[in-house]
Amino acid sequence: MENLLKVSSYTYNNTSDINADTYVHYTATRIMNIVILEIKFARPAAKDTLLQIADMPVDFRPKKIETFAAMASTGGVKMDYHWLRLTPTGKFYTHDTAATTVRNLQTTICYETN
């Protein structure tokens, strides 16, 4: 019965300074071939920027490119979406252009892995 439901997790944190321009903290939980990724991050303004962090371990990488968003308030009732991409090679990239570096973003996604 233990082999039917294999569960593992991995946590990554590149700095404890949540206001850093390069802050990334995530926890990935793998249940069989599904990964639940909870990520907190700051994202540079430029599109297609590789985040300078360690690659995600092979067991937690997605089968295909996963694109996901977090929201940030820009004042009043307006919200902006800030997108990241996670590749099958375990690298995180910005997906769109922002006016400036945006900090204190958070989102949770679920995806299939090999």
Side-chain angles (χ1 to χ4, degrees):
M1 196 66 160
E2 289 176 14
N3 292 334
L4 290 177
L5 190 64
K6 182 180 176 188
V7 178
S8 56
S9 64
Y10 175 78
T11 298
Y12 177 85
N13 189 11
N14 67 341
T15 178
S16 59
D17 180 5
I18 65 169
N19 293 311
D21 289 349
T22 58
Y23 176 75
V24 175
H25 173 87
Y26 68 80
T27 300
T29 302
R30 179 178 175 156
I31 304 169
M32 296 170 50
N33 69 330
I34 301 295
V35 173
I36 301 166
L37 174 66
E38 187 271 325
I39 183 169
K40 301 170 190 162
F41 61 99
R43 57 133 313 152
K47 181 178 180 176
D48 298 322
T49 300
L50 172 65
L51 299 188
Q52 298 301 308
I53 62 174
D55 293 348
M56 180 175 272
V58 172
D59 288 348
F60 295 91
R61 295 177 183 178
K63 285 178 85 168
K64 61 182 182 61
I65 293 173
E66 296 292 337
T67 304
F68 52 94
M71 293 185 297
S73 174
T74 55
V77 294
K78 185 178 179 208
M79 300 293 281
D80 283 340
Y81 291 92
H82 299 280
W83 299 85
L84 284 183
R85 272 191 329 268
L86 173 58
T87 68
T89 59
K91 297 184 183 313
F92 289 89
Y93 292 87
T94 59
H95 187 68
D96 61 340
T97 303
T100 184
T101 295
V102 182
R103 294 167 196 82
N104 299 316
L105 296 164
Q106 181 173 350
T107 194
T108 302
I109 66 164
C110 182
Y111 57 86
E112 189 176 5
T113 189
N114 293 318

